mmCIF file of all heavy atoms in Angstrom:
data_model
loop_
_atom_site.group_PDB
_atom_site.id
_atom_site.type_symbol
_atom_site.label_atom_id
_atom_site.label_comp_id
_atom_site.label_asym_id
_atom_site.label_seq_id
_atom_site.Cartn_x
_atom_site.Cartn_y
_atom_site.Cartn_z
ATOM 1 N N PRO A 394 -6.029 78.880 -34.297
ATOM 2 C CA PRO A 394 -4.837 78.451 -35.019
ATOM 3 C C PRO A 394 -3.547 79.134 -34.563
ATOM 4 O O PRO A 394 -3.441 80.363 -34.387
ATOM 5 C CB PRO A 394 -5.061 78.717 -36.483
ATOM 6 C CG PRO A 394 -6.636 78.754 -36.599
ATOM 7 C CD PRO A 394 -7.042 79.287 -35.312
ATOM 8 N N GLN A 395 -2.480 78.313 -34.446
ATOM 9 C CA GLN A 395 -1.174 78.767 -34.072
ATOM 10 C C GLN A 395 -0.142 77.738 -34.483
ATOM 11 O O GLN A 395 0.581 77.218 -33.619
ATOM 12 C CB GLN A 395 -0.968 79.134 -32.575
ATOM 13 C CG GLN A 395 0.174 80.016 -32.231
ATOM 14 C CD GLN A 395 0.094 80.391 -30.737
ATOM 15 O OE1 GLN A 395 -0.208 79.613 -29.871
ATOM 16 N NE2 GLN A 395 0.421 81.656 -30.522
ATOM 17 N N PRO A 396 -0.039 77.369 -35.700
ATOM 18 C CA PRO A 396 0.897 76.347 -36.140
ATOM 19 C C PRO A 396 2.337 76.775 -35.959
ATOM 20 O O PRO A 396 2.601 78.059 -35.852
ATOM 21 C CB PRO A 396 0.506 76.147 -37.571
ATOM 22 C CG PRO A 396 0.000 77.362 -38.079
ATOM 23 C CD PRO A 396 -0.679 78.003 -36.911
ATOM 24 N N PRO A 397 3.217 75.848 -35.913
ATOM 25 C CA PRO A 397 4.650 76.218 -35.875
ATOM 26 C C PRO A 397 5.029 77.119 -36.995
ATOM 27 O O PRO A 397 4.552 76.994 -38.158
ATOM 28 C CB PRO A 397 5.416 74.902 -35.893
ATOM 29 C CG PRO A 397 4.378 73.885 -35.509
ATOM 30 C CD PRO A 397 3.066 74.396 -35.973
ATOM 31 N N HIS A 398 5.964 78.088 -36.753
ATOM 32 C CA HIS A 398 6.455 78.960 -37.748
ATOM 33 C C HIS A 398 7.054 78.137 -38.914
ATOM 34 O O HIS A 398 7.832 77.183 -38.543
ATOM 35 C CB HIS A 398 7.458 79.964 -37.238
ATOM 36 C CG HIS A 398 6.861 81.094 -36.415
ATOM 37 N ND1 HIS A 398 6.151 82.181 -36.990
ATOM 38 C CD2 HIS A 398 6.753 81.295 -35.029
ATOM 39 C CE1 HIS A 398 5.704 82.951 -36.058
ATOM 40 N NE2 HIS A 398 6.065 82.424 -34.921
ATOM 41 N N GLY A 399 6.800 78.538 -40.159
ATOM 42 C CA GLY A 399 7.387 77.848 -41.263
ATOM 43 C C GLY A 399 6.861 76.427 -41.522
ATOM 44 O O GLY A 399 7.468 75.706 -42.420
ATOM 45 N N HIS A 400 5.865 76.043 -40.815
ATOM 46 C CA HIS A 400 5.386 74.610 -41.012
ATOM 47 C C HIS A 400 4.450 74.429 -42.186
ATOM 48 O O HIS A 400 3.929 73.446 -42.448
ATOM 49 C CB HIS A 400 4.700 74.229 -39.673
ATOM 50 C CG HIS A 400 4.593 72.729 -39.393
ATOM 51 N ND1 HIS A 400 3.514 72.010 -39.523
ATOM 52 C CD2 HIS A 400 5.651 71.911 -39.078
ATOM 53 C CE1 HIS A 400 3.829 70.747 -39.382
ATOM 54 N NE2 HIS A 400 5.080 70.654 -38.969
ATOM 55 N N GLY A 401 4.067 75.548 -42.873
ATOM 56 C CA GLY A 401 3.211 75.573 -43.945
ATOM 57 C C GLY A 401 1.662 75.588 -43.611
ATOM 58 O O GLY A 401 1.422 75.776 -42.374
ATOM 59 N N ASP A 402 0.844 75.513 -44.556
ATOM 60 C CA ASP A 402 -0.578 75.511 -44.302
ATOM 61 C C ASP A 402 -1.000 74.356 -43.351
ATOM 62 O O ASP A 402 -0.623 73.235 -43.672
ATOM 63 C CB ASP A 402 -1.401 75.358 -45.466
ATOM 64 C CG ASP A 402 -1.524 76.925 -46.153
ATOM 65 O OD1 ASP A 402 -1.344 77.819 -45.556
ATOM 66 O OD2 ASP A 402 -1.917 76.853 -47.383
ATOM 67 N N HIS A 403 -1.763 74.690 -42.438
ATOM 68 C CA HIS A 403 -2.448 73.737 -41.601
ATOM 69 C C HIS A 403 -3.916 73.791 -41.877
ATOM 70 O O HIS A 403 -4.530 74.810 -42.191
ATOM 71 C CB HIS A 403 -2.256 73.904 -40.140
ATOM 72 C CG HIS A 403 -1.020 73.405 -39.675
ATOM 73 N ND1 HIS A 403 -0.903 72.711 -38.407
ATOM 74 C CD2 HIS A 403 0.212 73.470 -40.087
ATOM 75 C CE1 HIS A 403 0.440 72.387 -38.263
ATOM 76 N NE2 HIS A 403 1.092 72.845 -39.270
ATOM 77 N N SER A 404 -4.683 72.693 -41.815
ATOM 78 C CA SER A 404 -6.148 72.663 -42.134
ATOM 79 C C SER A 404 -6.858 72.582 -40.779
ATOM 80 O O SER A 404 -6.516 71.856 -39.808
ATOM 81 C CB SER A 404 -6.483 71.348 -42.920
ATOM 82 O OG SER A 404 -5.705 71.294 -44.023
ATOM 83 N N TYR A 405 -7.936 73.427 -40.665
ATOM 84 C CA TYR A 405 -8.755 73.425 -39.495
ATOM 85 C C TYR A 405 -10.090 72.991 -39.879
ATOM 86 O O TYR A 405 -10.772 73.742 -40.596
ATOM 87 C CB TYR A 405 -8.702 74.877 -38.871
ATOM 88 C CG TYR A 405 -7.300 75.260 -38.522
ATOM 89 C CD1 TYR A 405 -6.424 75.812 -39.393
ATOM 90 C CD2 TYR A 405 -6.749 74.881 -37.296
ATOM 91 C CE1 TYR A 405 -5.049 76.084 -39.110
ATOM 92 C CE2 TYR A 405 -5.448 75.062 -36.891
ATOM 93 C CZ TYR A 405 -4.571 75.596 -37.825
ATOM 94 O OH TYR A 405 -3.216 75.829 -37.560
ATOM 95 N N TYR A 406 -10.473 71.865 -39.299
ATOM 96 C CA TYR A 406 -11.835 71.311 -39.667
ATOM 97 C C TYR A 406 -12.751 71.665 -38.589
ATOM 98 O O TYR A 406 -12.580 71.319 -37.411
ATOM 99 C CB TYR A 406 -11.738 69.715 -39.731
ATOM 100 C CG TYR A 406 -10.948 69.303 -41.090
ATOM 101 C CD1 TYR A 406 -9.577 69.363 -41.114
ATOM 102 C CD2 TYR A 406 -11.743 68.774 -42.039
ATOM 103 C CE1 TYR A 406 -8.995 68.942 -42.221
ATOM 104 C CE2 TYR A 406 -11.093 68.254 -43.144
ATOM 105 C CZ TYR A 406 -9.762 68.351 -43.284
ATOM 106 O OH TYR A 406 -9.094 67.924 -44.435
ATOM 107 N N PHE A 407 -13.855 72.311 -38.879
ATOM 108 C CA PHE A 407 -14.869 72.586 -37.921
ATOM 109 C C PHE A 407 -16.051 71.628 -38.258
ATOM 110 O O PHE A 407 -16.941 71.863 -39.146
ATOM 111 C CB PHE A 407 -15.454 74.077 -38.099
ATOM 112 C CG PHE A 407 -14.377 75.062 -37.765
ATOM 113 C CD1 PHE A 407 -13.449 75.552 -38.556
ATOM 114 C CD2 PHE A 407 -14.465 75.667 -36.460
ATOM 115 C CE1 PHE A 407 -12.558 76.447 -38.220
ATOM 116 C CE2 PHE A 407 -13.602 76.585 -36.127
ATOM 117 C CZ PHE A 407 -12.583 77.016 -36.891
ATOM 118 N N TRP A 408 -15.968 70.506 -37.591
ATOM 119 C CA TRP A 408 -17.029 69.367 -37.769
ATOM 120 C C TRP A 408 -18.339 69.650 -36.919
ATOM 121 O O TRP A 408 -18.155 69.991 -35.760
ATOM 122 C CB TRP A 408 -16.388 68.107 -37.311
ATOM 123 C CG TRP A 408 -15.439 67.480 -38.281
ATOM 124 C CD1 TRP A 408 -14.155 67.475 -38.229
ATOM 125 C CD2 TRP A 408 -15.737 66.834 -39.508
ATOM 126 N NE1 TRP A 408 -13.516 66.884 -39.263
ATOM 127 C CE2 TRP A 408 -14.561 66.338 -40.086
ATOM 128 C CE3 TRP A 408 -17.039 66.387 -40.121
ATOM 129 C CZ2 TRP A 408 -14.519 65.606 -41.295
ATOM 130 C CZ3 TRP A 408 -16.952 65.633 -41.298
ATOM 131 C CH2 TRP A 408 -15.709 65.357 -41.963
ATOM 132 N N VAL A 409 -19.412 69.525 -37.521
ATOM 133 C CA VAL A 409 -20.658 69.531 -36.756
ATOM 134 C C VAL A 409 -21.335 68.169 -36.932
ATOM 135 O O VAL A 409 -21.373 67.606 -38.012
ATOM 136 C CB VAL A 409 -21.594 70.586 -37.285
ATOM 137 C CG1 VAL A 409 -22.922 70.532 -36.597
ATOM 138 C CG2 VAL A 409 -20.973 72.055 -37.114
ATOM 139 N N TYR A 410 -21.728 67.598 -35.803
ATOM 140 C CA TYR A 410 -22.315 66.351 -35.743
ATOM 141 C C TYR A 410 -23.730 66.413 -35.185
ATOM 142 O O TYR A 410 -24.012 67.077 -34.172
ATOM 143 C CB TYR A 410 -21.583 65.424 -34.762
ATOM 144 C CG TYR A 410 -20.085 65.291 -35.145
ATOM 145 C CD1 TYR A 410 -19.106 66.075 -34.590
ATOM 146 C CD2 TYR A 410 -19.669 64.233 -35.999
ATOM 147 C CE1 TYR A 410 -17.797 65.906 -34.838
ATOM 148 C CE2 TYR A 410 -18.405 64.058 -36.276
ATOM 149 C CZ TYR A 410 -17.387 64.952 -35.780
ATOM 150 O OH TYR A 410 -16.086 64.790 -36.056
ATOM 151 N N ALA A 411 -24.687 65.811 -35.903
ATOM 152 C CA ALA A 411 -26.112 65.658 -35.531
ATOM 153 C C ALA A 411 -26.169 64.295 -34.864
ATOM 154 O O ALA A 411 -25.850 63.312 -35.487
ATOM 155 C CB ALA A 411 -27.019 65.732 -36.695
ATOM 156 N N LEU A 412 -26.640 64.256 -33.602
ATOM 157 C CA LEU A 412 -26.675 63.077 -32.801
ATOM 158 C C LEU A 412 -27.995 62.515 -32.363
ATOM 159 O O LEU A 412 -28.982 63.345 -32.183
ATOM 160 C CB LEU A 412 -25.880 63.395 -31.460
ATOM 161 C CG LEU A 412 -24.447 63.942 -31.705
ATOM 162 C CD1 LEU A 412 -23.818 64.408 -30.331
ATOM 163 C CD2 LEU A 412 -23.474 62.856 -32.218
ATOM 164 N N SER A 413 -28.012 61.161 -32.253
ATOM 165 C CA SER A 413 -29.333 60.611 -31.889
ATOM 166 C C SER A 413 -29.505 60.474 -30.350
ATOM 167 O O SER A 413 -30.620 60.085 -29.953
ATOM 168 C CB SER A 413 -29.399 59.198 -32.536
ATOM 169 O OG SER A 413 -28.380 58.370 -31.938
ATOM 170 N N ARG A 414 -28.519 60.847 -29.640
ATOM 171 C CA ARG A 414 -28.665 60.856 -28.161
ATOM 172 C C ARG A 414 -27.807 61.861 -27.697
ATOM 173 O O ARG A 414 -26.736 62.306 -28.296
ATOM 174 C CB ARG A 414 -28.263 59.381 -27.617
ATOM 175 C CG ARG A 414 -26.832 58.943 -27.866
ATOM 176 C CD ARG A 414 -26.769 57.502 -27.384
ATOM 177 N NE ARG A 414 -25.531 56.885 -27.894
ATOM 178 C CZ ARG A 414 -24.419 56.873 -27.311
ATOM 179 N NH1 ARG A 414 -24.121 57.497 -26.205
ATOM 180 N NH2 ARG A 414 -23.328 56.160 -27.809
ATOM 181 N N PRO A 415 -28.058 62.391 -26.332
ATOM 182 C CA PRO A 415 -27.214 63.420 -25.827
ATOM 183 C C PRO A 415 -25.752 63.022 -25.268
ATOM 184 O O PRO A 415 -25.677 61.772 -24.993
ATOM 185 C CB PRO A 415 -28.106 63.959 -24.644
ATOM 186 C CG PRO A 415 -29.165 62.796 -24.392
ATOM 187 C CD PRO A 415 -29.204 62.051 -25.635
ATOM 188 N N VAL A 416 -25.000 63.951 -25.380
ATOM 189 C CA VAL A 416 -23.597 63.642 -24.737
ATOM 190 C C VAL A 416 -23.451 63.952 -23.255
ATOM 191 O O VAL A 416 -24.090 64.956 -22.852
ATOM 192 C CB VAL A 416 -22.620 64.486 -25.593
ATOM 193 C CG1 VAL A 416 -21.206 64.387 -24.959
ATOM 194 C CG2 VAL A 416 -22.595 64.217 -27.053
ATOM 195 N N ASP A 417 -22.912 63.101 -22.595
ATOM 196 C CA ASP A 417 -22.712 63.168 -21.125
ATOM 197 C C ASP A 417 -21.378 63.926 -20.859
ATOM 198 O O ASP A 417 -20.415 63.599 -21.605
ATOM 199 C CB ASP A 417 -22.733 61.926 -20.398
ATOM 200 C CG ASP A 417 -24.081 61.181 -20.358
ATOM 201 O OD1 ASP A 417 -25.074 61.910 -20.273
ATOM 202 O OD2 ASP A 417 -24.045 60.002 -20.512
ATOM 203 N N GLY A 418 -21.488 64.902 -19.915
ATOM 204 C CA GLY A 418 -20.100 65.550 -19.546
ATOM 205 C C GLY A 418 -19.554 66.376 -20.658
ATOM 206 O O GLY A 418 -20.304 66.914 -21.512
ATOM 207 N N GLU A 419 -18.211 66.501 -20.540
ATOM 208 C CA GLU A 419 -17.470 67.238 -21.553
ATOM 209 C C GLU A 419 -16.241 66.437 -22.087
ATOM 210 O O GLU A 419 -15.124 66.583 -21.675
ATOM 211 C CB GLU A 419 -16.904 68.655 -20.932
ATOM 212 C CG GLU A 419 -17.953 69.649 -20.553
ATOM 213 C CD GLU A 419 -18.562 69.398 -19.192
ATOM 214 O OE1 GLU A 419 -17.884 68.857 -18.321
ATOM 215 O OE2 GLU A 419 -19.735 69.764 -18.988
ATOM 216 N N PRO A 420 -16.546 65.487 -22.962
ATOM 217 C CA PRO A 420 -15.464 64.614 -23.431
ATOM 218 C C PRO A 420 -14.486 65.317 -24.305
ATOM 219 O O PRO A 420 -14.732 66.360 -24.933
ATOM 220 C CB PRO A 420 -16.320 63.567 -24.205
ATOM 221 C CG PRO A 420 -17.483 64.293 -24.720
ATOM 222 C CD PRO A 420 -17.810 65.269 -23.692
#
Side-chain angles (χ1 to χ4, degrees):
Q395 194 176 45
H398 286 284
H400 205 253
D402 275 343
H403 279 224
S404 304
Y405 300 89
Y406 287 77
F407 291 84
W408 284 100
V409 174
Y410 302 93
L412 304 169
S413 63
R414 61 185 163 93
V416 174
D417 293 324
E419 292 85 29

